[in-house]
Amino acid sequence: MIEQPYVYKRAELVEPDWRRFPGWADVSAQEWESAQWQRVHCVKNIRQLRALLGDGVDEAFFADLERDQAERATMSMLVTPQMLNTMVPSLAPSSPGFTAALYADPVRRYMIPVFSDRRSDWPSHPHASRDSLHEAEMWAVEGLTHRYPTKVLAEVLPTCPQYCGHCTRMDLVGNPTPVVAKHKFGMTREDRLGAMITYLRSTPGVRDVVVSGGDVANLPWPRLEAFVSDLLAIESIRDIRLATKALMGLPQYWLTDEVRAGMERLAATARERDVSIAIHTHVNAAQSVTPLVAKASKAMLATGIRDVRNQGVLMRGVNSSAAELLDLCFALLDDAKIMPYYFYLCDMIPNAEHWRLSLAEAQQLQLQIMGYLPGFATPRMICDVPYVGKRWVHQVSRYDTERGISYWTKNYRTAVDAQDALALEREFEYYDPIYTLPGPGQQWWRDQAAVLAPEARSTVASLVSR
């Protein structure tokens, strides 16, 4: 037997016993598998989390969480029971070591961040921004980002069944927090969705629509089905992708009779028109893939849609090793039939530096996972470069590893640079976390602090002013 850096072992999917939590000790399987029960019993605050976990968790953890919500959190707390149940799946809160295991848990790290998780030296990069990808600057109509020549992003609503701490759309999605006053849509939902359809009917160069938000699972099904049906009626649209973390965080929703029947209708219409419909979900840790998630994925595939794909985010302490990524990919592929697709570098939003990996680390991870998965299921590591778009991490034009500045080029124009004759010749910058840099690079950034201070203060002020 040849010794390998990673050893593949097929792992049987397991639904952790939710009754290990004192607050769910009497919850039946029928209740657990109800989408309505899941939504009603989401954890939205520390009081509810404390009641769920009981007395087994150190008080210091809750104090740590309370401080983070007051001083750092860009997203309010909202976690589904399904997702909470995958945290520390093998221990009850009364078990010795539960608090330490909760601190170390990868799902907890990004769904319920605490203050001690964050960097104290550089909690935010000096170039971090609320809308780090500048999507709102590229709205063709409110909520419709026309960033790529043939593709658009339709943000149909600003809410999700659960809120991830690292959300790239923290500018828009979710409730306000003490440090972030959220942007709000100005148009009514009906006017906004109608304007999107009108724009797409008049823009035949667009063939691909990502329907997102927020999470499409929070749009009432009849309205979502009507919107997708309107897309299917546009001759130029050939690909439709529905973005929903809820396939993992709330699989019970995708297993409801209403949704399954509606997806069958949409899939049938898509086949008649020779259009592809796929679901894109967002799983970051192997322990999140449970039998219910696999059941929901297979149910969606059975409706006749083309594919279910996963787009994860690379985060330190969550999935920052090759073994963690490969475990996740095989869990997705083997039993849930979810295609590993992309892993993005965490975007440069405020207070996210403790999660972010450097470009060099992502490049190394891409090399380390090659050869284990089938080629069609080997995910690409992606840097989503501001004003440029998605780039494979090895497509960098230049890379100053000492200062952590990578330089990228683009091969198309957006509305932002439509009149810029040099747009395709320019280099655009992306920045590594400063604490990952060698000593001289970190010192260079400290030397820049005085110059960047006004801009940094402006960024912080904008968090509470918008």
Side-chain angles (χ1 to χ4, degrees):
M1 194 72 167
I2 301 173
E3 184 177 348
Q4 302 290 359
Y6 173 84
V7 178
Y8 164 73
K9 293 180 181 178
R10 183 172 179 180
E12 181 179 356
L13 300 185
V14 175
E15 205 75 48
D17 185 0
W18 57 87
R19 293 167 296 185
R20 73 189 187 281
F21 293 115
W24 294 334
D26 298 322
V27 174
S28 68
Q30 182 178 11
E31 289 174 312
W32 188 261
E33 294 176 8
S34 162
Q36 180 62 21
W37 185 92
Q38 289 277 328
R39 288 188 189 270
V40 169
H41 292 86
C42 285
V43 171
K44 304 180 182 70
N45 53 54
I46 295 175
R47 176 184 58 80
Q48 292 175 342
L49 183 63
R50 193 192 303 269
L52 171 66
L53 299 179
D55 299 328
V57 179
D58 292 350
E59 186 60 34
F61 173 83
F62 295 110
D64 204 359
L65 175 57
E66 184 174 22
R67 185 179 179 188
D68 191 75
Q69 291 192 334
E71 299 180 29
R72 290 286 187 267
T74 59
M75 299 298 292
S76 57
M77 186 188 297
L78 181 64
V79 193
T80 62
Q82 174 72 27
M83 186 168 289
L84 268 164
N85 192 41
T86 66
M87 299 180 193
V88 197
S90 59
L91 288 179
S94 58
S95 303
F98 180 86
T99 299
L102 185 62
Y103 264 109
D105 188 85
V107 178
R108 194 285 306 164
R109 282 182 182 274
Y110 80 92
M111 289 304 302
I112 308 179
V114 294
F115 188 85
S116 63
D117 291 337
R118 316 267 185 182
R119 299 291 305 185
S120 58
D121 47 0
W122 297 98
S124 297
H125 195 281
H127 290 290
S129 61
R130 296 172 54 122
D131 181 8
S132 63
L133 301 179
H134 307 280
E135 289 177 333
E137 294 177 42
M138 303 178 203
W139 281 353
V141 299
E142 189 178 60
L144 187 73
T145 301
H146 195 162
R147 186 182 186 193
Y148 301 99
T150 61
K151 302 182 289 184
V152 296
L153 166 72
E155 298 171 78
V156 294
L157 78 171
T159 65
C160 299
Q162 68 285 305
Y163 293 138
C164 310
H166 66 283
C167 181
T168 189
R169 297 197 182 101
M170 49 73 59
D171 184 55
L172 174 71
V173 172
N175 302 314
T177 75
V179 296
V180 180
K182 303 286 181 166
H183 172 74
K184 295 186 181 300
F185 286 132
M187 302 170 68
T188 67
R189 184 180 71 193
E190 291 308 302
D191 287 346
R192 191 171 65 254
L193 299 190
M196 292 179 185
I197 295 298
T198 298
Y199 176 82
L200 293 171
R201 285 173 180 156
S202 63
T203 314
V206 174
R207 63 170 305 282
D208 183 353
V209 180
V210 178
V211 185
S212 183
D215 191 309
V216 297
N218 264 23
L219 192 63
W221 177 260
R223 188 64 190 95
L224 178 60
E225 184 173 355
F227 183 74
V228 176
S229 295
D230 287 343
L231 293 177
L232 287 167
I234 300 173
E235 183 59 34
S236 58
I237 304 300
R238 313 313 301 163
D239 277 287
I240 298 170
R241 293 177 270 171
L242 307 180
T244 174
K245 190 186 183 82
L247 189 75
M248 176 272 285
L250 188 62
Q252 295 85 349
Y253 168 79
W254 293 96
L255 287 165
T256 61
D257 291 341
E258 179 185 37
V259 173
R260 292 170 77 162
M263 285 297 294
E264 286 180 355
R265 289 190 293 269
L266 291 174
T269 302
R271 285 193 302 274
E272 291 173 5
R273 288 213 52 245
D274 201 21
V275 175
S276 294
I277 295 181
I279 288 176
H280 282 200
T281 193
H282 177 184
V283 188
N284 291 320
Q287 67 201 61
S288 296
V289 186
T290 74
L292 272 172
V293 174
K295 185 178 180 181
S297 174
K298 292 173 182 176
M300 290 299 98
L301 291 170
T303 66
I305 65 170
R306 173 174 177 168
D307 210 350
V308 179
R309 308 183 186 112
N310 186 63
Q311 297 187 132
V313 173
L314 295 172
M315 287 180 282
R316 198 173 308 282
V318 177
N319 53 22
S320 50
S321 75
E324 289 165 335
L325 288 178
L326 287 168
D327 284 348
L328 170 55
C329 289
F330 283 119
L332 292 166
L333 195 60
D334 283 350
D335 293 306
K337 307 308 175 195
I338 297 173
M339 185 72 66
Y341 181 44
Y342 281 162
F343 280 104
Y344 292 89
L345 281 165
C346 184
D347 289 318
M348 293 180 58
I349 58 169
N351 298 334
E353 290 305 277
H354 66 293
W355 283 310
R356 292 205 308 125
L357 274 62
S358 69
L359 177 67
E361 289 175 298
Q363 290 174 334
Q364 184 64 22
L365 285 171
Q366 183 74 83
L367 294 174
Q368 289 174 331
I369 69 168
M370 298 300 291
Y372 288 97
L373 292 151
F376 64 84
T378 300
R380 293 168 180 163
M381 305 300 157
I382 298 294
C383 183
D384 208 343
V385 183
Y387 291 118
V388 175
K390 300 176 184 65
R391 289 292 183 268
W392 306 345
V393 291
H394 286 87
Q395 288 183 297
V396 62
S397 175
R398 291 189 295 128
Y399 187 13
D400 181 344
T401 55
E402 180 172 292
R403 296 178 179 179
I405 307 174
S406 50
Y407 299 87
W408 308 77
T409 58
K410 62 194 301 182
N411 58 320
Y412 47 79
R413 292 183 176 86
T414 65
V416 174
D417 48 36
Q419 305 304 316
D420 183 357
L422 300 178
L424 306 190
E425 300 173 30
R426 298 186 190 283
E427 289 185 320
F428 298 80
E429 296 176 352
Y430 185 85
Y431 303 92
D432 287 344
I434 293 171
Y435 71 93
T436 66
L437 306 180
Q442 293 191 38
Q443 184 59 51
W444 184 85
W445 279 102
R446 284 192 288 269
D447 293 342
Q448 300 301 303
V451 177
L452 292 170
E455 180 182 337
R457 286 195 296 270
S458 176
T459 297
V460 172
S462 73
L463 291 178
V464 295
S465 66
R466 190 166 172 179

